[in-house]
Amino acid sequence: MTSKKRQPLLDKHKDRSPSVIHRRRFIKKSTLSAFSLALGTKLVFGANFPNKMLPIGLENDHEFFNLPGKSPHLIVLNNKPINAETPSEYLDDPLTPNELFFVRNNGIPPTDIDLNQWTLTIEGEAAQQKKVFTLADLKSKFKHYTYHLTLECGGNGRSEFNPPAKGNQWSTGAVGCAAWMGVRLKDVLEAVGVKSNAVYIGYYGEDTHLSGDPNKVVISRGVPISKALEEESLIAWEMNGTALPLLNGYPLRLVFGGYPASCSGKWLSKIVIRNKVHDGPKMNGQAYRVPCSPVAPGSKVADEDMCIIEGMPTKSLITYPKSGAMLKLNQQLPIRGKAWTSTKSIASVAYSIDFGASWQECQLEAAKNRYAWQSFHAKISFPEEGYYEVWAKATDVLGNTQPMLLPGWNPKGYLNNACHRIAIKVLKA
Ligand SMILES: Nc1nc2c(c(=O)[nH]1)N[C@H]1C(S)=C(S)[C@@H](COP(=O)(O)O)O[C@H]1N2
Ligand SMILES: [Mo]
């Protein structure tokens, strides 16, 4: 395992003070000139630069690593289990290609998969009956649907937490949007029969626990029955027109746009319809939960004060250019990106080149369907040569927007929807 982890921005300062995320102070002149020296150029709008942050022009590049069926451009954070994220500049396509789609495994994917033997069992206290479907049954008995659905790991952006949160140190790339094809979960559940006391569904997959113990369940999460019955909630076997990659759940998985991707069970073999909140591994304790009320950074929070994450927050990512791009003062910089929300849709995306002192609107495209990400773009002119950062901020139709710095600290490092930023150097014309 030779992949180098990306340096979290805030950790470099080893400053554990909670004031870091609550207050912005102006940075010192001496710090400013040190930054300018290291960058080899002037930090324009440096006076607006948030205290305790490092210009991203000073970040290190990552090394490449190879995964089966995956692009060498993915950044591998761990290879047992496999966890790999997509650099922001590789999320520029309207739909994320399969080989660039992030991977978040908690265990070991199944091997020797026989499509003729694969079955999906539906059962549970709130199921009218137990039913077993073959893949052929699912494909022939139900109508097929395709939706563009954004999947984002609940821990995406964890690397910016301070104090740090344990777990994969995702930077910005545990997200992607693909065209998923399969059958509606709703149609399958209704064919089995959902009792009126149904509260939740839970999934089981065919991956193996890291311990190798065949009786240990790797992860078994789920969603409220209302989410399960939404039109866009799929049992999918195709991603962007071809079979799911093995690492993304081949041959069958759940896909719930808008919810933490941990709900979208891979290598799917069983769904339980529960008469209470599902209680499989990683539904309880601290996993995929955040404090029910905000806590001070670094707090210990009792399990009973933690609440299950449901909708993911409104967020955006700049996907072009790559951070560190250079241009001349007489040129305009085209920028592009994606914005997504678990509410209805994104209403606007704005960019700033002066650390949030002022914002300009981007052009925004409509979503293909609910939970699909939306593309945005703009053309930027810069007032003088030097170092800049371009920041992007999305706002959804309900008015939910993104904070510039890490929002509510939580023990496991979930739900970071802080604005994304890229470094730009403007040279003499
Ligand atoms: N069976 C199974 N399903 C799983 C997981 C897993 O480890 N095993 N990981 C979950 C988590 S935490 C995430 S973020 C998503 C990642 O989906 P992807 O690897 O296709 O990007 O799958 C979810 N479904
Ligand atoms: Mo996840």
Side-chain angles (χ1 to χ4, degrees):
M1 183 68 231
T2 54
S3 163
K4 192 164 61 187
K5 281 186 186 166
R6 295 232 276 192
Q7 287 287 324
L9 294 172
L10 293 167
D11 290 355
K12 282 186 182 163
H13 302 280
K14 294 274 183 277
D15 186 321
R16 299 292 162 95
S17 140
S19 65
V20 170
I21 66 167
H22 289 309
R23 242 185 297 151
R24 279 176 57 185
R25 298 184 220 95
F26 293 114
I27 65 168
K28 283 199 213 110
K29 275 233 167 76
S30 55
T31 318
L32 249 181
S33 46
F35 281 165
S36 295
L37 201 69
L39 291 163
T41 185
K42 193 171 132 201
L43 180 60
V44 184
F45 299 124
N48 298 346
F49 195 80
N51 190 27
K52 309 284 180 192
M53 256 196 178
L54 193 66
I56 41 183
L58 298 179
E59 269 204 299
N60 291 331
D61 232 344
H62 61 86
E63 286 168 9
F64 294 150
F65 197 83
N66 252 318
L67 291 179
K70 290 289 164 180
S71 161
H73 296 297
L74 288 191
I75 302 160
V76 180
L77 304 182
N78 192 348
N79 74 345
K80 201 179 181 208
I82 292 171
N83 288 289
E85 68 172 304
T86 320
S88 54
E89 68 272 19
Y90 286 97
L91 290 171
D92 194 45
D93 299 281
L95 290 172
T96 312
N98 294 3
E99 62 275 14
L100 284 169
F101 206 94
F102 81 98
V103 179
R104 197 301 185 229
N105 289 349
N106 290 268
I108 312 298
T111 48
D112 302 327
I113 294 165
D114 181 350
L115 294 183
N116 296 317
Q117 297 298 316
W118 196 276
T119 56
L120 173 64
T121 302
I122 316 269
E123 60 185 12
E125 311 101 348
Q128 302 277 15
Q129 56 180 320
K130 172 180 170 174
K131 243 187 161 158
V132 180
F133 297 94
T134 63
L135 287 179
D137 289 337
L138 289 175
K139 291 178 184 179
S140 64
K141 292 190 170 144
F142 301 96
K143 194 169 166 207
H144 297 183
Y145 293 89
T146 302
Y147 290 104
H148 293 187
L149 301 170
T150 309
L151 281 190
E152 182 181 18
C153 177
N156 195 22
R158 178 179 290 133
S159 64
E160 288 185 17
F161 275 71
N162 188 28
K166 282 202 193 104
N168 287 301
Q169 294 301 299
W170 304 111
S171 94
T172 58
V175 65
C177 181
W180 305 94
M181 196 277 272
V183 294
R184 280 184 177 153
L185 173 60
K186 165 184 196 285
D187 293 349
V188 177
L189 294 180
E190 281 166 2
V192 173
V194 179
K195 288 190 188 164
S196 59
N197 63 346
V199 169
Y200 231 84
I201 66 106
Y203 69 75
Y204 291 87
E206 291 299 300
D207 41 346
T208 308
H209 195 269
L210 286 178
S211 64
D213 182 344
N215 300 314
K216 265 195 168 165
V217 174
V218 178
I219 180 172
S220 173
R221 304 201 70 247
V223 296
I225 192 74
S226 56
K227 178 70 182 173
L229 298 178
E230 280 187 352
E231 291 187 352
E232 302 87 349
S233 297
L234 292 179
I235 299 175
W237 57 84
E238 269 193 15
M239 183 178 178
N240 297 322
T242 56
L244 300 172
L246 173 67
L247 295 179
N248 300 102
Y250 175 85
L252 198 66
R253 77 173 300 170
L254 286 166
V255 188
F256 297 107
Y259 266 48
S262 53
C263 299
S264 295
K266 303 194 280 188
W267 310 291
L268 181 69
S269 58
K270 185 161 84 177
I271 295 172
V272 285
I273 312 177
R274 305 295 313 267
N275 62 5
K276 56 178 184 179
V277 174
H278 183 55
D279 51 2
K282 306 216 185 229
M283 281 302 294
N284 291 310
Q286 307 266 313
Y288 303 103
R289 287 171 175 246
V290 288
C292 303
S293 316
V295 299
S299 301
K300 270 216 152 80
V301 185
D303 288 355
E304 62 268 26
D305 296 328
M306 300 283 272
C307 286
I308 299 173
I309 300 168
E310 295 192 341
M312 291 292 289
T314 294
K315 194 165 169 181
S316 62
L317 193 67
I318 301 166
T319 58
Y320 182 88
K322 181 181 168 167
S323 187
M326 289 193 253
L327 75 157
K328 290 196 170 151
L329 188 55
N330 59 359
Q331 293 177 309
Q332 278 195 315
L333 177 74
I335 63 157
R336 294 192 293 270
K338 308 285 188 250
W340 62 94
T341 177
S342 56
T343 70
K344 271 185 158 163
S345 61
I346 298 290
S348 66
V349 179
Y351 72 83
S352 177
I353 60 167
D354 56 10
F355 303 106
S358 66
W359 295 90
Q360 274 72 42
E361 286 281 299
C362 298
Q363 306 286 326
L364 178 67
E365 283 166 33
K368 174 85 177 8
N369 51 254
R370 189 162 58 156
Y371 312 129
W373 67 19
Q374 291 171 244
S375 295
F376 66 85
H377 56 98
K379 272 206 167 110
I380 307 179
S381 297
F382 295 88
E384 57 174 296
E385 62 183 90
Y387 174 89
Y388 293 83
E389 291 187 4
V390 179
W391 291 60
K393 183 169 72 166
T395 305
D396 69 22
V397 288
L398 302 182
N400 298 307
T401 190
Q402 300 182 249
M404 286 185 68
L405 298 182
L406 186 84
W409 184 95
N410 59 84
K412 296 274 282 180
Y414 297 121
L415 304 181
N416 178 5
N417 69 332
C419 292
H420 183 222
R421 58 193 180 121
I422 57 167
I424 298 294
K425 212 183 227 179
V426 178
L427 310 169
K428 246 201 280 294

